[in-house]
Amino acid sequence: MTVLHPLPALRGQRCTLRALVPADAPALQRHADDPAVAHNLFDGFPQPYTLAEAEWWCNGGHREPQFGFVWGIEAVGEGAQEVIGCISVDPQQGLWGSSAVIGYWIGQAHWRRGITSEALKLVTAWAWGALPQTMRLWMPIYARNAGSQAVARAAGYRLEGTMLLAIRKGGFAIDAVQYGLTRPGAQPGEHRLPPLT
């Protein structure tokens, strides 16, 4: 079982990543309640996204173990300082225990400004420091989602393959692509893990 570390604030030039608080719910709901945002997120992401769902998430729902480490994304220098999306790192267990899955989204008004790729770089650097058992970070992305793939590439992630008809979405099976990155200095093939602490 993964022990969740205290969540630090991570600061970049375009965004700040920080812990969610109850007061974030209205802004989060406004950005999340957009069919264009939900279109490329998994079926578990509510649509419509109600204020009650945002309140549950910001009041502690995001801390449930199945979500891993979750930060709110705040844009720097774009008016009122409010949460515009989320990014997470979810360490896996068992067979896949040397991997962690990353997920992210931001509101449509902030797309194509380099915010999400910077957020991904920030959590990647954090994961290498905070999660010594994690040798690989990866993310499944809908094959149709060119924007999210561009985010992954801009953060240094590599396309590892296509998974045909692998994801269920709105009653359809759709293609996915997988992007990944291994820990700097880790030897491919086989790499001894540090002792568990």
Side-chain angles (χ1 to χ4, degrees), residues 7-191:
L7 200 63
L10 305 175
R11 291 179 174 83
Q13 294 182 332
R14 293 183 174 90
C15 67
T16 296
L17 310 183
R18 61 168 176 79
L20 291 165
V21 297
D24 291 325
L28 191 80
Q29 186 270 334
R30 190 173 70 255
H31 290 291
D33 188 32
D34 178 350
V37 169
H39 180 68
N40 285 315
L41 296 175
F42 299 115
D43 267 349
F45 190 85
Q47 188 59 215
Y49 199 103
T50 66
L51 182 58
E53 285 157 333
E55 289 172 341
W56 174 83
W57 183 250
C58 294
N59 277 288
H62 68 281
R63 291 191 195 97
E64 292 193 4
Q66 70 266 30
F67 300 121
F69 302 92
V70 178
W71 288 262
I73 302 172
E74 207 176 75
V76 171
E78 296 202 11
Q81 295 303 292
E82 65 177 22
V83 167
I84 61 167
C86 292
I87 188 165
S88 65
V89 179
D90 184 14
Q92 302 298 285
Q93 304 294 325
L95 178 66
W96 303 109
S98 65
S99 296
V101 176
I102 294 184
Y104 47 80
W105 69 271
I106 66 171
Q108 186 175 187
H110 301 276
W111 291 357
R112 298 178 188 87
R113 297 183 185 180
I115 295 168
T116 316
S117 56
E118 183 179 71
L120 180 52
K121 290 176 185 177
L122 290 169
V123 299
T124 299
W126 173 86
W128 296 146
L131 305 174
Q133 290 283 314
T134 298
M135 295 291 118
R136 181 170 173 274
L137 300 170
W138 70 281
M139 62 210 73
I141 300 172
Y142 294 1
R144 68 191 182 196
N145 189 348
S148 193
Q149 293 181 62
V151 165
R153 288 191 302 272
Y157 284 72
R158 295 178 295 276
L159 176 63
E160 296 179 328
T162 300
M163 301 173 284
L164 300 176
L165 303 177
I167 297 178
R168 176 190 299 268
K169 175 69 176 180
F172 293 87
I174 65 173
D175 296 348
V177 291
Q178 182 170 298
Y179 280 77
L181 187 64
T182 53
R183 177 182 288 276
Q187 298 301 311
E190 189 171 335
H191 186 88

